[in-house]
Amino acid sequence: MGLASILAIGLLLNTGCTRRFYRNQADREVAAILGEKNVIPNAIIENYHPYPDDRARFADPTNPDRPPMPPDDPYARFLAPNPQKPRHAGVGRIEGDGYLRLLAAWDAENRAALAKRSENNEEAAIQAAAA
């Protein structure tokens, strides 16, 4: 075998040291620990999810294995200029907007109920005046 084929095989076998591997490994370990402790009937863990709900303010819609470059503060930029190359997608704070969408839906429901209530009050006032 040539050196190139040995290197190619080595690269193919070296798939365990990735962010995805360690994240999945940590998820499995936490699930095992919680499953081991989840034996008390009055304290059963229900609806446990390792990642926040998409509607949460702190939800992260980006790929957890390839996060965007975080915003840099001026002193870090001065001490280590451009520590990540521009090939990383996006820069900025990532926050979910599901909670804002939920608030907007509740606001629309409340406004519709208020409009209906005021229509009913107006109709009742007209009927009371006619009687």
Side-chain angles (χ1 to χ4, degrees):
M1 275 199 207
L3 181 61
S5 60
I6 292 174
L7 286 175
I9 291 172
L11 288 175
L12 288 175
L13 295 177
N14 192 15
T15 59
C17 298
T18 62
R19 285 185 180 201
R20 179 180 302 178
F21 172 80
Y22 288 117
R23 181 176 53 83
N24 291 335
Q25 182 74 19
D27 290 347
R28 284 192 296 273
E29 288 178 12
V30 168
I33 291 169
L34 291 177
E36 179 182 304
K37 305 296 181 185
N38 204 13
V39 294
I40 301 171
N42 294 337
I44 297 291
I45 300 172
E46 297 176 0
N47 296 328
Y48 170 76
H49 303 286
Y51 302 104
D53 191 338
D54 290 337
R55 296 172 294 177
R57 172 182 49 87
F58 45 86
D60 187 1
T62 62
N63 182 356
D65 300 323
R66 297 278 182 211
M69 184 172 72
D72 230 350
D73 65 308
Y75 297 110
R77 174 120 4 242
F78 175 72
L79 295 174
N82 202 8
Q84 292 185 347
K85 301 298 180 217
R87 71 184 190 285
H88 293 282
V91 176
R93 291 181 168 77
I94 304 297
E95 291 183 356
D97 63 343
Y99 185 67
L100 296 176
R101 286 186 274 129
L102 187 63
L103 286 177
W106 286 344
D107 183 45
E109 288 176 16
N110 289 337
R111 289 178 188 269
L114 183 63
K116 186 176 181 180
R117 199 175 318 133
S118 65
E119 285 177 13
N120 290 342
N121 289 342
E122 288 175 7
E123 288 176 7
I126 290 171
Q127 288 176 358

